[in-house]
Amino acid sequence: MIELDNVSLGYNHRAILHNVSMKAGPGQILGLVGPNGSGKSTLIKGITRVIDLFSGRISIDGRDIRTIKHDELARLVATVPQSPALPGAFTAFEVVLMGRTPHLGLLRYEGGKDLAVAWQAMEATHTQSFAERRVSELSGGERQRLIIARALTQQPKAMLLDEPTANLDINHQVEILNLVKRLCLEQSLTVIIALHDLNLAAQYCDWMVSRRFTEPKYVFIPTPLISCLPLLSRPARRTAMAGGPVGVMDQADIILMVSGISVKIQVKSSTLGISGLQSYSFEHKLWG
């Protein structure tokens, strides 16, 4: 479990994010959704202690991250960075084996257990077929799967992914996110993933956290809610953008009341897995 309580983060004594509170649990994917510059990567850097907290508390399984040593934190949380620089002359297996570094002592070499863990990670990510190929010979999708395999080799409880589908075509995007979803469920990982594609986030994330446009805060959005929005007709979307009410759609029984960018949505649909009539209120720029 990763939990943020009133966390503020930023750079050079200037806060970018203020009073962020959220939590993610095992076997679930929490999506950080928003445009470039909205602070998604900053949140990930804060959780991994790449940058220091201005205020608030980040905890992993109830432990404040400031009390956890860096090598232990690397055994608990693995990161898949955006566009990582990989040594082209290394083989794929050698790159994956780097994930065992947090488990090795000073001047200690990898042993049989470390080699076995690395190979298991490659099997889980279907990268064993190119284990002996040089990194420079791999495609973008293959490299991304390789980085996920390296992260798994750390044997973490949580995995943080920063735009893992960036610069990939749609087929490879789906391939990577299918892999992340499967690993999350099979290994009961706590997954936090930064995405700017709302459609992909709605399809793969259990919960999403989106940056408010009126103030520098994030707000939870239930994924079933976002999944039903495409059912709205084009005229209804135009009405919503103009700030007027949108009528009920029979397919999902949706009501949107829009005032500026403050959106109140009521959903009543058994097909969405929501029992009874529930109301959600949040501020988010849905279109345009």
Side-chain angles (χ1 to χ4, degrees):
M1 173 76 74
I2 295 178
E3 188 167 0
L4 282 69
D5 183 17
N6 290 318
V7 168
S8 294
L9 295 162
Y11 307 92
N12 300 323
H13 307 290
R14 184 173 71 90
I16 302 296
L17 300 174
H18 303 264
N19 305 320
V20 177
S21 295
M22 66 182 193
K23 60 183 178 180
Q28 292 186 334
I29 299 179
L30 174 66
L32 306 178
V33 182
N36 293 334
S38 61
K40 302 187 298 296
S41 297
T42 300
L43 270 179
I44 291 176
K45 290 177 181 177
I47 295 172
T48 54
R49 289 180 59 187
V50 173
I51 59 175
D52 294 327
L53 295 178
F54 284 9
S55 62
R57 183 175 188 266
I58 300 177
S59 60
I60 298 175
D61 291 338
R63 300 172 60 191
D64 192 317
I65 63 168
R66 288 169 291 195
T67 67
I68 303 175
K69 294 181 178 180
H70 283 284
D71 56 346
E72 183 182 0
L73 185 62
R75 293 193 293 268
L76 294 173
V77 180
T79 304
V80 176
Q82 183 178 2
S83 302
L86 297 177
F90 281 48
T91 66
F93 183 76
E94 288 171 336
V95 168
V96 173
L97 193 58
M98 292 177 182
R100 295 303 295 167
T101 301
H103 297 267
L104 302 178
L106 184 64
L107 301 179
R108 179 185 161 192
Y109 291 96
E110 299 88 351
K113 178 182 177 181
D114 302 304
L115 297 174
V117 170
W119 187 253
Q120 289 169 4
M122 296 196 79
E123 289 180 333
T125 54
H126 303 304
T127 54
Q128 74 273 31
S129 61
F130 50 83
E132 298 304 318
R133 288 170 57 190
R134 302 289 180 185
V135 170
S136 58
E137 302 172 358
L138 303 180
S139 69
E142 289 171 335
R143 290 188 183 200
Q144 201 63 36
R145 283 157 52 201
L146 196 66
I147 297 302
I148 295 174
R150 185 179 67 179
L152 282 180
T153 305
Q154 295 175 224
Q155 295 184 303
K157 291 186 177 181
M159 185 180 295
L160 312 179
L161 302 98
D162 189 3
E163 298 282 4
T165 59
N167 304 316
L168 297 179
D169 61 44
I170 186 61
N171 291 329
H172 283 110
Q173 289 178 19
V174 171
E175 178 184 30
I176 293 300
L177 292 176
N178 281 338
L179 171 62
V180 171
K181 186 73 171 181
R182 176 172 59 82
L183 293 173
C184 174
L185 296 174
E186 289 180 354
Q187 303 194 19
S188 193
L189 292 172
T190 298
V191 175
I192 297 178
I193 183 170
L195 294 168
H196 66 266
D197 190 314
L198 191 61
N199 292 321
L200 288 175
Q203 183 176 353
Y204 289 96
C205 298
D206 299 290
W207 284 88
M208 289 188 288
V209 181
S210 179
R211 176 79 176 266
R212 291 180 187 264
F213 282 74
T214 53
E215 53 182 298
K217 291 185 178 180
Y218 276 80
V219 59
F220 275 103
I221 305 174
T223 297
L225 178 62
I226 298 298
S227 300
C228 72
L229 291 178
L231 296 175
L232 290 173
S233 64
R234 213 174 271 275
R237 295 187 188 192
R238 286 198 294 269
T239 302
M241 291 175 63
V246 178
V248 178
M249 299 291 292
D250 293 335
Q251 299 98 314
D253 203 4
I254 307 169
I255 304 174
L256 276 77
M257 296 297 294
V258 182
S259 176
I261 61 172
S262 180
V263 184
K264 181 177 181 180
I265 302 181
Q266 294 180 320
V267 182
K268 181 181 180 183
S269 173
S270 58
T271 59
L272 296 176
I274 301 176
S275 58
L277 182 64
Q278 299 191 21
S279 298
Y280 300 95
S281 297
F282 61 91
E283 295 180 1
H284 190 71
K285 186 179 180 182
L286 294 172
W287 304 285

